[in-house]
Amino acid sequence: NAGVMQNPRHLVRRRGQEARLRCSPMKGHSHVYWYRQLPEEGLKFMVYLQKENIIDESGMPKERFSAEFPKEGPSILRIQQVVRGDSAAYFCASSRTRDRGVQPQHFGDGTRLSIL
Amino acid sequence: GESVGLHLPTLSVQEGDNSIINCAYSNSASDYFIWYKQESGKGPQFIIDIRSNMDKRQGQRVTVLLNKTVKHLSLQIAATQPGDSAVYFCAETPAGVDTADKLIFGTGTRLQVFP
Protein backbone atom coordinates (compact mmCIF):
# COMPACT_ATOMS: atom_id res chain seq x y z
CA ASN A 1 0.00 0.00 0.00
CA ALA A 2 2.05 2.92 -1.30
CA GLY A 3 0.43 5.83 0.49
CA VAL A 4 2.13 9.09 1.40
CA MET A 5 5.13 8.24 3.55
CA GLN A 6 6.55 10.64 6.08
CA ASN A 7 9.60 10.19 8.25
CA PRO A 8 10.52 10.36 10.92
CA ARG A 9 7.21 9.91 12.72
CA HIS A 10 8.60 11.63 15.79
CA LEU A 11 11.49 14.06 15.95
CA VAL A 12 12.97 15.67 19.03
CA ARG A 13 15.30 18.63 18.70
CA ARG A 14 16.86 21.14 21.07
CA ARG A 15 16.44 24.84 20.52
CA GLY A 16 18.81 26.09 17.86
CA GLN A 17 19.17 22.76 16.05
CA GLU A 18 17.90 21.95 12.58
CA ALA A 19 14.92 19.74 11.79
CA ARG A 20 14.51 17.90 8.49
CA LEU A 21 11.18 16.31 7.68
CA ARG A 22 10.79 14.03 4.69
CA CYS A 23 7.82 13.18 2.54
CA SER A 24 7.55 10.62 -0.23
CA PRO A 25 4.35 11.21 -2.20
CA MET A 26 2.12 8.47 -3.48
CA LYS A 27 3.36 6.75 -6.61
CA GLY A 28 2.59 8.82 -9.67
CA HIS A 29 1.90 11.99 -7.66
CA SER A 30 3.95 15.03 -8.57
CA HIS A 31 2.19 17.63 -6.39
CA VAL A 32 3.20 17.92 -2.74
CA TYR A 33 1.72 20.09 -0.01
CA TRP A 34 2.95 20.69 3.53
CA TYR A 35 0.64 21.59 6.41
CA ARG A 36 1.20 22.27 10.08
CA GLN A 37 -1.17 21.34 12.90
CA LEU A 38 -1.18 22.52 16.48
CA PRO A 39 -3.06 20.43 19.11
CA GLU A 40 -6.83 20.75 18.89
CA GLU A 41 -6.61 22.84 15.74
CA GLY A 42 -7.09 22.37 12.03
CA LEU A 43 -4.24 22.06 9.57
CA LYS A 44 -2.66 25.25 8.25
CA PHE A 45 -1.24 25.34 4.72
CA MET A 46 2.47 26.06 4.45
CA VAL A 47 3.76 25.35 0.95
CA TYR A 48 2.88 23.68 -2.35
CA LEU A 49 5.55 22.20 -4.58
CA GLN A 50 5.82 20.37 -7.83
CA LYS A 51 8.97 18.58 -8.92
CA GLU A 52 11.85 21.07 -8.63
CA ASN A 53 9.49 24.03 -8.25
CA ILE A 54 7.90 25.90 -5.37
CA ILE A 55 4.47 26.96 -6.58
CA ASP A 56 3.02 28.64 -3.50
CA GLU A 57 4.85 29.31 -0.24
CA SER A 58 2.41 31.86 1.12
CA GLY A 59 1.98 29.90 4.36
CA MET A 60 5.67 29.50 5.14
CA PRO A 61 7.32 31.69 7.76
CA LYS A 62 9.74 33.97 5.97
CA GLU A 63 12.71 32.96 8.09
CA ARG A 64 14.18 29.60 9.10
CA PHE A 65 11.74 27.51 7.02
CA SER A 66 12.43 26.11 3.58
CA ALA A 67 11.07 23.34 1.39
CA GLU A 68 12.22 21.48 -1.66
CA PHE A 69 10.99 18.70 -3.93
CA PRO A 70 13.92 17.54 -6.02
CA LYS A 71 13.72 15.66 -9.28
CA GLU A 72 14.77 12.52 -7.46
CA GLY A 73 13.94 11.70 -3.87
CA PRO A 74 11.48 12.89 -1.27
CA SER A 75 10.25 16.36 -0.53
CA ILE A 76 12.06 17.94 2.42
CA LEU A 77 10.75 20.52 4.88
CA ARG A 78 13.67 22.10 6.68
CA ILE A 79 13.48 24.19 9.82
CA GLN A 80 16.68 25.89 10.91
CA GLN A 81 17.44 27.12 14.42
CA VAL A 82 14.28 25.61 15.85
CA VAL A 83 12.39 27.32 18.65
CA ARG A 84 9.79 25.96 21.07
CA GLY A 85 6.99 27.45 18.98
CA ASP A 86 7.92 25.12 16.11
CA SER A 87 6.61 22.15 18.09
CA ALA A 88 3.69 20.79 16.09
CA ALA A 89 2.61 17.98 13.79
CA TYR A 90 3.69 18.51 10.20
CA PHE A 91 1.69 16.78 7.51
CA CYS A 92 2.47 16.19 3.90
CA ALA A 93 -0.17 15.59 1.23
CA SER A 94 0.15 14.67 -2.42
CA SER A 95 -2.04 14.64 -5.48
CA ARG A 96 -1.67 13.48 -9.05
CA THR A 97 -3.04 16.57 -10.71
CA ARG A 98 -4.49 19.96 -9.90
CA ASP A 99 -7.90 18.90 -11.14
CA ARG A 100 -9.95 19.29 -8.02
CA GLY A 101 -12.69 16.76 -7.62
CA VAL A 102 -10.71 14.16 -9.52
CA GLN A 103 -7.68 13.93 -7.32
CA PRO A 104 -8.15 15.13 -3.75
CA GLN A 105 -5.09 15.50 -1.61
CA HIS A 106 -4.03 12.37 0.26
CA PHE A 107 -2.18 12.80 3.54
CA GLY A 108 0.62 11.01 5.30
CA ASP A 109 0.53 10.31 9.04
CA GLY A 110 2.74 13.27 9.84
CA THR A 111 5.90 14.04 11.76
CA ARG A 112 5.48 15.11 15.38
CA LEU A 113 8.20 17.64 16.10
CA SER A 114 9.04 18.37 19.72
CA ILE A 115 11.48 21.10 20.70
CA LEU A 116 13.16 20.82 24.08
CA GLY B 1 -6.46 36.47 15.16
CA GLU B 2 -5.95 32.79 15.73
CA SER B 3 -7.55 30.97 18.60
CA VAL B 4 -5.03 28.77 20.35
CA GLY B 5 -5.79 25.95 22.73
CA LEU B 6 -9.55 25.89 22.33
CA HIS B 7 -11.17 22.53 22.92
CA LEU B 8 -12.79 21.08 19.86
CA PRO B 9 -16.59 21.02 19.79
CA THR B 10 -17.76 17.51 20.50
CA LEU B 11 -20.70 15.56 19.16
CA SER B 12 -21.70 12.50 21.17
CA VAL B 13 -23.83 9.96 19.37
CA GLN B 14 -25.19 6.55 20.25
CA GLU B 15 -24.08 3.68 18.09
CA GLY B 16 -26.55 3.11 15.30
CA ASP B 17 -27.87 6.66 15.27
CA ASN B 18 -27.23 9.13 12.48
CA SER B 19 -24.64 11.88 12.97
CA ILE B 20 -24.64 15.35 11.49
CA ILE B 21 -21.48 17.41 11.62
CA ASN B 22 -21.66 21.03 10.55
CA CYS B 23 -19.14 23.44 9.14
CA ALA B 24 -19.31 27.12 8.27
CA TYR B 25 -16.80 28.02 5.59
CA SER B 26 -15.25 31.39 5.15
CA ASN B 27 -14.77 32.18 1.49
CA SER B 28 -17.76 32.65 -0.80
CA ALA B 29 -15.39 32.16 -3.76
CA SER B 30 -14.49 28.61 -2.70
CA ASP B 31 -15.54 26.10 -5.29
CA TYR B 32 -14.44 22.76 -3.88
CA PHE B 33 -14.99 21.25 -0.45
CA ILE B 34 -13.73 18.12 1.26
CA TRP B 35 -14.48 16.31 4.49
CA TYR B 36 -11.59 14.59 6.23
CA LYS B 37 -11.56 12.23 9.19
CA GLN B 38 -8.57 12.30 11.51
CA GLU B 39 -7.94 9.59 14.09
CA SER B 40 -5.54 10.09 16.94
CA GLY B 41 -1.93 10.02 15.81
CA LYS B 42 -2.80 9.79 12.13
CA GLY B 43 -3.14 12.05 9.15
CA PRO B 44 -6.44 13.27 7.70
CA GLN B 45 -8.25 10.62 5.73
CA PHE B 46 -10.39 11.63 2.75
CA ILE B 47 -14.10 10.90 3.22
CA ILE B 48 -16.04 12.73 0.54
CA ASP B 49 -15.86 15.86 -1.58
CA ILE B 50 -18.25 18.15 -3.40
CA ARG B 51 -17.95 20.89 -6.01
CA SER B 52 -19.80 24.16 -5.65
CA ASN B 53 -22.06 23.38 -8.60
CA MET B 54 -23.69 20.65 -6.52
CA ASP B 55 -25.69 20.82 -3.31
CA LYS B 56 -25.62 17.17 -2.31
CA ARG B 57 -23.39 14.20 -2.81
CA GLN B 58 -23.66 10.71 -1.36
CA GLY B 59 -21.10 8.09 -0.60
CA GLN B 60 -21.14 4.91 1.39
CA ARG B 61 -23.00 5.78 4.63
CA VAL B 62 -22.04 9.44 4.21
CA THR B 63 -23.77 12.40 2.61
CA VAL B 64 -22.40 15.90 2.18
CA LEU B 65 -24.75 18.87 1.85
CA LEU B 66 -23.65 22.26 0.60
CA ASN B 67 -25.61 25.47 1.14
CA LYS B 68 -23.80 28.24 -0.67
CA THR B 69 -26.31 30.88 0.35
CA VAL B 70 -25.27 30.68 3.98
CA LYS B 71 -21.80 29.19 3.37
CA HIS B 72 -22.61 26.02 5.25
CA LEU B 73 -21.44 22.47 4.75
CA SER B 74 -22.62 19.39 6.60
CA LEU B 75 -21.58 15.77 6.79
CA GLN B 76 -24.19 13.17 7.59
CA ILE B 77 -23.09 9.72 8.74
CA ALA B 78 -25.74 7.04 8.72
CA ALA B 79 -25.82 4.28 11.33
CA THR B 80 -22.81 5.62 13.20
CA GLN B 81 -20.33 3.00 14.34
CA PRO B 82 -17.61 3.03 17.03
CA GLY B 83 -15.02 3.16 14.25
CA ASP B 84 -16.41 6.52 13.20
CA SER B 85 -15.07 8.11 16.39
CA ALA B 86 -12.52 10.70 15.28
CA VAL B 87 -12.12 14.40 14.61
CA TYR B 88 -13.80 15.57 11.42
CA PHE B 89 -12.57 18.55 9.43
CA CYS B 90 -14.12 20.34 6.54
CA ALA B 91 -11.74 21.95 4.08
CA GLU B 92 -12.30 24.41 1.26
CA THR B 93 -10.32 25.45 -1.78
CA PRO B 94 -10.82 28.98 -3.08
CA ALA B 95 -11.39 29.25 -6.81
CA GLY B 96 -8.77 30.63 -9.15
CA VAL B 97 -5.51 29.46 -10.65
CA ASP B 98 -3.46 31.52 -8.25
CA THR B 99 -4.65 29.71 -5.19
CA ALA B 100 -2.51 26.68 -5.91
CA ASP B 101 -5.19 24.38 -4.55
CA LYS B 102 -4.22 24.85 -0.95
CA LEU B 103 -6.78 23.54 1.46
CA ILE B 104 -8.20 25.82 4.13
CA PHE B 105 -9.27 23.72 7.08
CA GLY B 106 -12.05 24.41 9.56
CA THR B 107 -11.53 23.98 13.28
CA GLY B 108 -12.85 20.43 13.48
CA THR B 109 -15.51 18.51 15.40
CA ARG B 110 -14.80 15.55 17.62
CA LEU B 111 -17.29 12.72 17.13
CA GLN B 112 -17.69 10.33 20.05
CA VAL B 113 -19.74 7.20 19.55
CA PHE B 114 -20.97 5.41 22.65
CA PRO B 115 -22.66 2.01 22.85
Side-chain angles (χ1 to χ4, degrees), chain A residues 2-107:
Chain A
V4 177
M5 302 301 293
Q6 290 188 249
N7 69 82
R9 290 297 311 279
H10 301 274
L11 182 61
V12 180
R13 285 286 178 266
R14 296 189 180 278
R15 282 178 295 172
Q17 291 185 321
E18 178 180 288
R20 280 184 175 239
L21 288 62
R22 295 175 188 78
C23 169
S24 295
M26 288 179 68
K27 187 176 181 180
H29 286 195
S30 59
H31 301 251
V32 166
Y33 309 78
W34 285 93
Y35 294 82
R36 170 185 156 123
Q37 185 179 36
L38 294 173
E40 301 284 292
E41 293 190 8
L43 284 70
K44 297 286 195 297
F45 169 80
M46 298 181 73
V47 62
Y48 163 43
L49 310 102
Q50 292 180 27
K51 284 285 187 181
E52 300 183 278
N53 288 305
I54 296 174
I55 307 302
D56 180 354
E57 56 183 348
S58 59
M60 288 271 275
K62 297 212 181 322
E63 296 179 352
R64 302 189 298 108
F65 285 71
S66 63
E68 63 178 14
F69 188 18
K71 187 176 179 181
E72 301 290 338
S75 175
I76 306 287
L77 179 66
R78 182 181 177 205
I79 311 172
Q80 295 178 288
Q81 299 174 322
V82 296
V83 301
R84 287 236 172 93
D86 297 332
S87 296
Y90 292 84
F91 290 94
C92 170
S94 73
S95 66
R96 188 188 303 275
T97 70
R98 289 189 63 181
D99 188 1
R100 302 196 293 266
V102 175
Q103 272 293 325
Q105 295 176 26
H106 295 270
F107 284 81

Side-chain angles (χ1 to χ4, degrees), chain B residues 21-97:
Chain B
I21 301 171
N22 296 303
C23 175
Y25 63 92
S26 57
N27 191 333
S28 57
S30 292
D31 67 347
Y32 178 54
F33 304 87
I34 310 177
W35 279 100
Y36 283 96
K37 170 187 180 182
Q38 187 176 27
E39 296 174 286
S40 180
K42 296 201 171 179
Q45 176 187 353
F46 171 82
I47 301 174
I48 192 167
D49 58 1
I50 188 168
R51 290 184 183 268
S52 60
N53 61 354
M54 303 171 68
D55 53 21
K56 180 179 180 179
R57 192 169 186 213
Q58 288 185 293
Q60 187 176 13
R61 277 203 311 122
V62 294
T63 301
V64 55
L65 299 177
L66 174 63
N67 185 332
K68 294 182 287 293
T69 303
V70 294
K71 293 191 289 185
H72 184 268
L73 198 64
S74 69
L75 176 70
Q76 300 178 2
I77 304 174
T80 313
Q81 302 169 1
D84 295 326
S85 295
V87 177
Y88 290 79
F89 292 98
C90 66
E92 60 184 295
T93 301
V97 295

